[in-house]
């Protein structure tokens, strides 16, 4: 677990990127400092947001977007509790699919994608985005609402 504390200069549009320096002495360990030989390190970018930071819970599917409502673009962020086949679709309020955003295998961890309504041909309105993750031990589903304004 990495805990971050930022300053007021960490504003929307800025980001932090973590990388692990290439060094044979680097090891990942558990809470008792026992080395995990087959551990996989997932590294991602932390973006500043005017709505705060999602609290991620290990083993739980999370899904959100920011900003919401949005005018130009919005970023969908989701945390996969395990690797699996991910289907993320955008629908209208009646459940009719408007477009597929993700339809592929993905590793566990945090993922994000930018949705540009102009590229997707979206009219202003309310949309639902639904994620279904078919992992080896479970199937996870979550639905959220977003509002596109002009």
């Amino acid at each position: 677990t990495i805990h971050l504390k930022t300053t007021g200069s960490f504003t929307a549009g800025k980001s932090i990127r973590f990388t692990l320096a290439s060094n044979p002495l680097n090891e990942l360990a558990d809470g008792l400092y026992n080395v995990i030989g087959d551990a996989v390190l997932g590294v991602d970018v932390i973006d500043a947001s005017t709505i705060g930071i999602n609290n991620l819970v290990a083993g739980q599917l999370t899904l959100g977007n920011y900003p919401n409502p949005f005018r130009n673009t919005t970023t969908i962020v989701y945390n996969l509790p395990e690797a699996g086949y991910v289907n993320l679709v955008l629908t209208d309020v009646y459940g009719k699919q408007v477009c597929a955003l993700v339809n592929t295998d993905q590793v566990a961890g945090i993922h994000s994608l930018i949705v540009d309504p102009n590229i997707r041909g979206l009219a202003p309105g309310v949309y639902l985005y639904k994620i279904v993750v078919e992992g080896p031990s479970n199937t996870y589903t979550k639905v959220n609402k977003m509002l596109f304004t002009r």
Side-chain angles (χ1 to χ4, degrees):
T1 303
I2 298 174
H3 297 276
L4 298 173
K5 184 174 183 179
T6 62
T7 65
S9 64
F10 187 58
T11 56
K14 295 189 178 179
S15 61
I16 299 171
R17 182 176 298 274
F18 289 95
T19 59
L20 186 63
S22 178
N23 186 322
L25 298 177
N26 286 341
E27 297 176 321
L28 295 176
D30 63 18
L32 299 174
Y33 305 103
N34 296 313
V35 173
I36 305 169
D38 59 350
V40 175
L41 178 64
V43 180
D44 212 327
V45 175
I46 298 173
D47 292 314
S49 167
T50 58
I51 61 166
I53 298 174
N54 254 349
N55 291 325
L56 300 178
V57 178
Q60 186 177 34
L61 174 65
T62 61
L63 177 67
N65 76 295
Y66 64 91
N68 191 15
F70 67 100
R71 287 180 183 229
N72 298 317
T73 63
T74 189
T75 302
I76 296 176
V77 179
Y78 52 98
N79 180 52
L80 302 180
E82 62 180 293
Y85 190 81
V86 177
N87 187 307
L88 177 59
V89 296
L90 194 62
T91 69
D92 63 19
V93 292
Y94 303 107
K96 181 181 175 193
Q97 183 172 320
V98 175
C99 64
L101 300 171
V102 177
N103 199 16
T104 189
D105 287 310
Q106 291 188 322
V107 298
I110 301 170
H111 301 266
S112 66
L113 65 109
I114 296 172
V115 176
D116 183 332
N118 297 314
I119 293 174
R120 301 283 180 177
L122 303 180
V126 176
Y127 293 91
L128 303 175
Y129 54 109
K130 177 181 179 181
I131 190 168
V132 177
V133 182
E134 295 177 23
S137 67
N138 207 345
T139 297
Y140 307 84
T141 303
K142 202 159 194 80
V143 178
N144 278 352
K145 183 172 27 177
M146 68 171 65
L147 175 61
F148 170 41
T149 64
R150 283 273 180 213

